[in-house]
Amino acid sequence: MAKWGQGDPRWIVEEREDGTNVNNWHWTERDATSWSKGKLREFLVGIVVENEAGRCQISELKQVEGEASCSSRKGKLIFFYEWNIKLGWKGIIKESGVKHKGLIEIPNLSEENEVDDTEVNVSKKKGDGDILKDLMKTAGTAKVREALGDYLKALKTEFTMGMILPTKATAAQELTIKRKLSENTLQVPLGVRIPTVALHMTELFDTAVERLYSIFTVKDLVQKFSKSPAILEAEKGGKFQMFHGNITGEYIELLTNEKIIMKWRCRNWPEEHYATVVLNFVPALGQTELRLDCKGVPVCKEENMKFCWQKQHFEEIKGLLQLTTLNG
């Protein structure tokens, strides 16, 4: 029998204000089904693959059946998920301009299989266009599995925040870490004080400066490349909202066909924290070089920020320009 004061710490009730699930000993469970459906749509819809022969894009989430949950017991997280997913894709053959449609089926995404081993079946409606089907079977399948991996990472990090409650020991460790981080924390005038990084990216577009500038400032064009409703007030002090509200901000300065400066944030950033994004439009012999400079990006969101601009902005805008040219 344990001596007084030497009991198993798992049974000791600490002096916590919430008094909930002390030392994370009790079983807790959180339903992730609804959250997961939104995340699967976010990660999968809009995927683009392209080669010299054609361009394909996942255009819609036709079906997502299943469930997901996360449980906590003795300080450990246990994940359960099982999904049957159907996606619609469309593509265009560059030489002929002929368009085709097809399906992607993922019959069993579950914790029993590794993402790289997950079955992904690609089909196409009758007719020519096998070159597009082959593109989706190779590059498309790889990108789908990559997106499924991103969903699982988000499930195991973003969704589970707050499920493992801090004990006195971990709280002391977190305080030490926070003190160390504060030494390298930048003061961001537009938001809260957190560790941040700066990004610089450049991209060349086969279009005139006027056209590229309009894609960032005309609501209809923003909705076309983002494939989602948008709110856009392209004037100094005007607000914007894109990608189903996942990106929001405010225009600080606009110099027509030259420069756009914005307060910019993602929904999952710390509350009220904004980065400053500067877009410079530089003419280059029938093309336009877009120079992006961004300050105040949370350190933990650096890679997400790069992905957002490269994949969801630059590549989608190029696809829109290409389709406009082919249809024009």
Side-chain angles (χ1 to χ4, degrees):
M1 186 172 183
K3 295 180 180 179
W4 179 262
Q6 297 181 2
D8 189 329
R10 295 173 298 181
W11 300 103
I12 297 175
V13 177
E14 296 179 352
E15 296 176 357
R16 291 175 52 95
E17 292 183 1
D18 53 34
T20 304
N21 201 11
V22 176
N23 283 321
N24 304 291
W25 180 250
H26 301 295
W27 179 278
T28 60
E29 184 173 349
R30 184 182 294 178
D31 184 7
T33 302
S34 179
W35 177 91
S36 292
K37 288 180 178 180
K39 279 295 176 182
L40 287 167
R41 182 184 302 276
E42 176 185 333
F43 285 122
L44 290 166
V45 176
I47 287 177
V48 174
V49 289
E50 185 173 3
N51 60 17
E52 64 280 357
R55 182 180 188 274
C56 298
Q57 176 181 346
I58 295 179
S59 55
E60 61 178 319
L61 181 62
K62 287 181 170 290
Q63 173 187 299
V64 54
E65 295 180 345
E67 59 183 321
S69 64
C70 177
S71 302
S72 170
R73 172 69 165 134
K74 300 181 184 178
K76 295 182 180 180
L77 294 173
I78 304 167
F79 297 92
F80 170 81
Y81 52 91
E82 187 172 15
W83 295 108
N84 181 336
I85 303 167
K86 289 184 181 180
L87 303 159
W89 65 269
K90 59 185 179 181
I92 183 169
I93 299 176
K94 293 181 178 180
E95 184 177 356
S96 64
V98 176
K99 299 177 181 179
H100 294 275
K101 294 182 179 181
L103 289 175
I104 295 175
E105 297 184 72
I106 306 166
N108 183 29
L109 172 66
S110 72
E111 75 280 357
E112 297 179 356
N113 302 307
E114 296 293 332
V115 172
D116 290 341
D117 298 327
T118 299
E119 184 179 355
V120 179
N121 300 318
V122 178
S123 61
K124 183 187 67 65
K125 291 186 177 181
K126 294 181 179 180
D128 296 329
D130 285 341
I131 194 168
L132 296 178
K133 180 180 177 182
D134 292 340
L135 176 60
M136 289 303 294
K137 275 189 171 182
T138 53
T141 295
K143 283 205 171 185
V144 165
R145 287 187 174 133
E146 181 181 339
L148 294 176
D150 290 338
Y151 153 68
L152 294 179
K153 288 178 184 177
L155 175 65
K156 295 176 182 180
T157 55
E158 180 183 331
F159 179 78
T160 58
M161 290 181 64
M163 289 194 69
I164 300 296
L165 300 173
T167 61
K168 284 185 176 179
T170 57
Q173 292 174 352
E174 289 174 2
L175 180 60
T176 301
I177 293 171
K178 287 179 180 178
R179 285 173 177 169
K180 290 181 179 179
L181 284 174
S182 65
E183 297 174 1
N184 298 316
T185 298
L186 298 177
Q187 178 70 44
V188 183
L190 300 175
V192 297
R193 297 182 68 218
I194 62 171
T196 62
V197 294
L199 300 179
H200 176 75
M201 302 172 70
T202 61
E203 194 76 16
L204 198 61
F205 294 85
D206 292 324
T207 191
V209 168
E210 295 80 7
R211 179 63 172 168
L212 186 59
Y213 182 88
S214 68
I215 287 177
F216 283 93
T217 55
V218 176
K219 179 179 177 180
D220 181 55
L221 296 176
V222 169
Q223 292 183 150
K224 284 183 178 179
F225 87 75
S226 66
K227 300 175 181 64
S228 62
I231 296 174
L232 213 67
E233 302 169 354
E235 59 185 20
K236 185 175 181 179
K239 309 294 185 182
F240 62 84
Q241 179 176 300
M242 302 165 56
F243 296 103
H244 303 287
N246 286 307
I247 294 174
T248 55
E250 179 181 327
Y251 292 101
I252 298 174
E253 182 181 354
L254 298 96
L255 297 178
T256 304
N257 301 330
E258 294 182 20
K259 180 187 292 187
I260 300 174
I261 304 178
M262 303 172 281
K263 286 173 57 176
W264 195 101
R265 64 173 272 107
C266 285
R267 176 182 287 170
N268 60 358
W269 285 13
E271 187 175 357
E272 296 302 319
H273 178 76
Y274 289 82
T276 300
V277 173
V278 180
L279 300 176
N280 284 290
F281 300 80
V282 183
L285 296 175
Q287 297 177 307
T288 301
E289 181 181 78
L290 182 63
R291 298 174 184 173
L292 179 148
D293 288 287
C294 186
K295 295 180 180 179
V297 179
V299 170
C300 60
K301 301 297 181 182
E302 180 180 3
E303 292 305 315
N304 287 346
M305 187 69 163
K306 291 178 181 177
F307 177 88
C308 175
W309 279 96
Q310 186 62 48
K311 301 294 185 181
Q312 296 179 310
H313 285 75
F314 297 163
E315 291 188 10
E316 292 299 329
I317 289 171
K318 286 184 175 181
L320 174 61
L321 290 169
Q322 190 174 62
L323 286 173
T324 302
T325 301
L326 290 171
N327 294 335

